[in-house]
Amino acid sequence: MFSILLISMIIMLISMVVMLLASILSKKTIVDREKSSPFECGFDPKSSSRLPFSLRFFLITIIFLIFDVEIALILPTILIINFSNIMIWAITLFTFILILLLGLYHEWNQGMLNWSN
């Protein structure tokens, strides 16, 4: 028991030393304006590279990712229909789809799916 505790303490100590060294050695000491600016064919940029983007695109992307993951969760249920109780399978799938539809209704009700204002 003592040897396990000793080994874990040594491992934690080595990890902390490595993280500390990596933190100290990775700091950039010289800040160069040319190296930190965006590269546009060797010329100075005409405008800021940090342009604001539409929040609408971000929300549509999040909605797409959520529904994409949910489709990936629904597809395997077709394969397990032969191996499970049909009643439990149907209740589970119905509940899952009901939660999806309630989420879609909430997004629609909040105006997230309206592209124009």
Side-chain angles (χ1 to χ4, degrees):
M1 181 69 181
F2 182 71
S3 64
I4 294 174
L5 184 63
L6 182 66
I7 290 173
S8 62
M9 293 294 277
I10 291 172
I11 290 173
M12 287 175 49
L13 181 68
I14 291 172
S15 302
M16 286 185 203
V17 168
V18 168
M19 287 190 295
L20 182 69
L21 284 174
S23 176
I24 291 171
L25 295 175
S26 69
K27 300 288 185 197
K28 289 185 178 179
T29 56
I30 300 172
V31 178
D32 188 11
R33 187 183 77 81
E34 292 295 325
K35 288 185 179 179
S36 62
S37 66
F39 180 72
E40 292 184 8
C41 300
F43 301 105
D44 286 333
K46 294 181 180 180
S47 63
S48 174
S49 64
R50 305 284 185 226
L51 295 175
F53 64 95
S54 173
L55 191 59
R56 187 71 62 186
F57 286 115
F58 179 72
L59 292 175
I60 294 294
T61 304
I62 295 298
I63 291 170
F64 171 75
L65 287 175
I66 289 171
F67 281 103
D68 192 40
V69 168
E70 291 165 351
I71 296 275
L73 292 173
I74 288 176
L75 286 177
T77 60
I78 297 168
L79 297 175
I80 65 168
I81 191 170
N82 294 331
F83 305 113
S84 64
N85 185 354
I86 192 74
M87 190 64 178
I88 294 174
W89 179 85
I91 290 171
T92 304
L93 196 61
F94 177 74
T95 305
F96 189 74
I97 291 176
L98 182 68
I99 292 170
L100 289 180
L101 290 176
L102 287 174
L104 181 64
Y105 175 73
H106 178 70
E107 290 170 357
W108 186 19
N109 195 21
Q110 294 294 319
M112 295 292 180
L113 301 177
N114 295 335
W115 186 253
S116 62
N117 290 332

